[in-house]
Structures are given as structure tokens and as C-alpha cells.
Amino acid sequence: MSSEGAVEAHAFYCFEVINATLTGEEELEPAFDSTQEFPLFVTWNLVSRSTGSPRLRGCIGNFEAAPIKDGLRDYAGISAFKDHRFAPISTKELPRLECGVSLLTDFELCDNYLDWAVGTHGIYIQFANPALAPPGVITTPPSSSSTSTNTSTSSLASPPPRPSFRSISQLPPFKPTGLRPNPRRLPSVLTATYLPDVPGAQGWDRLQAVDSAIHKAGWTGSITEELRNSLRVTRYQSRRVERSYAEWRAWREAR
């Protein structure tokens, strides 16, 4: 995978995709290396007419590395028109849009649910559905240290480097055990993520972000320290670029 991060052409291509859908205007070919592969997210924000502040209008992506042109095309459209939290973006909203592209890198298993930094890392949490866990029993996930072997017997030896993964699918499997029968076919594992820019933008510390992610995953019950300690938290980083409609339009007219 290339070390190159997100560039403005990635955001401009997302504008090309939704503009072609909304207006029928011919789509320009992307001006970037389309052979790169990344997990990625596309975020649309709508700038307020009265305050000039952006608000979320759609955000969807994928944790699996895919050819970047295909990924941007797919998730530009999905996040604009199929994010179930919002109505589809309309033509009249185009001039007030901002597009953010996040290329995700450096997936690492955390040693505990606080083993990450606000402003640096995004988090992806996985945990056994508490509704299926016997009372007082919640599956504890492996830490990052359990994914590698330290062959040194010296207490002074440096710890082994933390394994880094290219995508979520490359992580060791997370398979809770000892769960109760599930006749209602509830999900056995609940998951949620926050991109690296989200906790800071919301003013959250690590604990607040983790608790919010637990609720986002679908758990509506109480959050205990036992539940927090049962999480498998994967931290990751993002190379992000953001551009406005006006910047995209100026780029397009200069082509």
C-alpha cells in the first residue's frame, strides 16, 4: 500500500460522482493514482446559511482495502444518498456541501479500552452482545500483546513491536464463547466506530467516546466497568482531506 495520504483530487472526485448523479453533468476522470488500495470513509457536511458552521449530512465507508477509485465512487454515492440517518442529498444543497475523504491506516489492537489518543486515533469496538451473556459473565477479548510472541526471557528486554494490520479483516478473529441460546437471532457481536476527528470535534475524552460508541453499537442497557473491559478496541489512524463545493467547482472549471 502506498504511503501517500488523501489528496484534494480524492474529494473532488467524490463531488464529480454526486454531481453527475444529481445534474447529469459529464463526470471528469479522477486525477490521482487509482491503483492504490485503502479502507476509506467519505463524509458530507452541509454548511449552515446562517452561521457558516458545518453539520453532518452523511458518512459511510468500509474497513476493507479496495481500489481507491472504486471505493470513492461507491461511498461518495452511498454516503450522499443512502445514509439511513438522513434524507438523500438534493441538488439545491450542492453549493453548500463540504466533502471529507479519510484513508484509514495502521490498525492496531489496544491493550485496553483507553489505549488510544484523542486526535490521533479512531476506534473500532467489538464486544459480545450483553443480552446473550450469562449474568456476571462477559467475554474478555485478547489484548494486543496476545497477538505476538515474546521469545526473550529477560525482564529487561524491550517489548515486541505492536502488530499493525492493513484492514479489520486481518485482525485475529473475535468469537465470543459461552453465550446463551439465541432463538431471537440477536447479533452475537456488537460493533461501532468513530473516525479520528470525531471525539475531538464532540469535545469527548476517551471514556466518553468509548461509552458513546457502546451505545452507537446498539446496546441500550447500563454501561459498567466490566462491559468496558470486555471490549476489543482497535485503534487506527486516518489521512484526511476536506474540500468545499466552491473549491471543487474552481478546480473543475480550470480543467
Side-chain angles (χ1 to χ4, degrees), residues 94-167:
L94 264 175
R96 294 192 290 132
L97 286 179
E98 295 176 341
C99 178
V101 173
S102 301
L103 306 184
L104 311 184
T105 66
D106 304 304
F107 291 84
E108 299 172 324
L109 287 174
C110 296
D111 288 329
N112 57 69
Y113 68 86
L114 296 179
D115 182 25
W116 59 282
V118 173
T120 299
H121 298 113
I123 55 171
Y124 177 78
I125 67 167
Q126 299 165 281
F127 58 103
N129 189 340
L132 298 176
V137 177
I138 299 180
T139 302
T140 301
S143 68
S144 65
S145 59
S146 68
T147 65
S148 60
T149 302
N150 187 355
T151 57
S152 172
T153 58
S154 170
S155 61
L156 300 178
S158 299
R162 187 189 301 264
S164 181
F165 302 90
R166 186 179 181 185
S167 66

Side-chain angles (χ1 to χ4, degrees), residues 43-47 54-57 96-98 240 242:
T43 302
W44 295 103
N45 288 320
L46 188 68
V47 178
R55 64 175 176 84
L56 184 64
R57 192 63 180 79
R96 294 192 290 132
L97 286 179
E98 295 176 341
R240 179 177 169 85
E242 187 172 278

Side-chain angles (χ1 to χ4, degrees), residues 209-226:
V210 166
D211 285 358
S212 177
I214 291 172
H215 286 312
K216 183 181 180 183
W219 176 241
T220 58
S222 60
I223 298 177
T224 64
E225 189 64 10
E226 181 188 19

